Amino acid sequence: MEDLPAFIKIVFALTTFLTIILFYTASRRSVNCIVILIIWSGLQAFVGWSEFYTVTDTIPPRFLLLIAPPLLFILILFVIHTGKQFIDHLDQRYLTLLHVVRIPVELVLFWLFVHKTIPELMTFEGRNFDILSGITAPIVYYFGFIKKTLSRTVLIIWNVICLCLLFNVVINAILSVPTPFQKFAFDQPNIGVLYFPFNWLPACIVPLVLLAHLAALRQLLFNKSEP
């Protein structure tokens, strides 16, 4: 990973910061929100820098520590009363706009593939079509929340489709990591996300993108006021 051009790491770090800023804005600048995000991303930066995740032969895989805590936190948000209040208070406009970060993410993934640190199936030349979510996000934002010409049904469908695209790449990425559970890409496994700063992808960016979709869907399905 030392041979990677510096600009790839810089672009990805900036993309992570943009994701955090957009979600913080969607939270209507919640102090608790930004504190949690800073602590978690800082912790993952330290652990990723130590190359803790590059040890891939353990049971359970260390990689789970990247994805399990944020997924558990999201689940708790949707279960407890204060969590539901937080979700319903999120600004759906910025939850939608947040998905533009998927464009630079996909560019970084392609560069990582070129430098042989992730498999082709994780890029838009393989099985990953997630860049479509990023491209359409500003369009949906403009016509859905500025012009207000998109119906609630259209917004729901868009979120569901983008959620499916996210699940597709996440599943392929997890099954390409060189753990005892690896199923794909044995010739060029997914090792890039095991190193800093790219471990922020499964630890920070993906959970925030996932939460943005789930929160938007909850609001669209259960909040009858105008989106």
Side-chain angles (χ1 to χ4, degrees):
M1 295 295 289
E2 291 79 7
D3 297 331
L4 279 178
F7 81 90
I8 301 179
K9 297 179 181 180
I10 292 171
V11 169
F12 187 77
L14 292 175
T15 301
T16 304
F17 296 150
L18 177 60
T19 307
I20 290 173
I21 289 170
L22 286 172
F23 191 84
Y24 167 62
T25 306
S27 73
R28 306 180 193 274
R29 295 174 172 81
S30 164
V31 174
N32 290 337
C33 176
I34 193 63
V35 168
I36 290 172
L37 290 175
I38 289 174
I39 291 175
W40 175 246
S41 58
L43 174 63
Q44 287 302 326
F46 174 77
V47 178
W49 192 274
S50 72
E51 299 190 356
F52 172 83
Y53 296 117
T54 61
V55 179
T56 58
D57 57 354
T58 61
I59 299 292
R62 294 184 177 184
F63 183 76
L64 287 178
L65 294 176
L66 276 170
I67 57 178
L71 290 180
L72 179 60
F73 187 76
I74 291 173
L75 177 62
I76 291 173
L77 284 179
F78 277 84
V79 171
I80 65 175
H81 179 66
T82 54
K84 294 176 183 177
Q85 285 184 321
F86 171 76
I87 291 169
D88 293 337
H89 188 65
L90 292 171
D91 189 330
Q92 196 175 150
R93 296 172 302 167
Y94 287 100
L95 291 178
T96 301
L97 198 57
L98 179 146
H99 299 292
V100 298
V101 303
R102 291 154 90 161
I103 297 176
V105 164
E106 295 309 315
L107 292 176
V108 169
L109 289 178
F110 179 74
W111 295 331
L112 289 177
F113 159 66
V114 170
H115 287 84
K116 303 185 183 304
T117 59
I118 69 167
E120 183 181 36
L121 62 83
M122 286 180 60
T123 73
F124 45 70
E125 287 197 345
R127 305 177 189 173
N128 183 0
F129 308 104
D130 200 52
I131 196 170
L132 297 175
S133 303
I135 293 172
T136 56
I139 300 173
V140 173
Y141 169 79
Y142 180 75
F143 288 102
F145 301 97
I146 304 301
K147 288 296 190 179
K148 297 186 182 296
T149 56
L150 297 183
S151 67
R152 184 183 298 269
T153 300
V154 171
L155 294 175
I156 291 172
I157 292 173
W158 179 79
N159 274 282
V160 169
I161 291 175
C162 293
L163 197 56
C164 291
L165 293 176
L166 178 66
F167 285 149
N168 171 64
V169 65
V170 167
I171 291 171
N172 280 289
I174 291 174
L175 295 179
S176 298
V177 176
T179 68
F181 305 103
Q182 182 180 6
K183 299 297 181 184
F184 306 129
F186 291 96
D187 56 332
Q188 187 170 317
N190 176 17
I191 62 170
V193 299
L194 304 179
Y195 293 85
F196 175 79
F198 307 107
N199 63 303
W200 274 338
L201 179 59
C204 301
I205 295 181
V206 169
L208 290 177
V209 168
L210 173 63
L211 180 54
H213 278 312
L214 295 178
L217 285 170
R218 174 180 165 83
Q219 291 185 17
L220 289 166
L221 291 169
F222 300 109
N223 184 356
K224 298 306 179 182
S225 61
E226 288 296 322

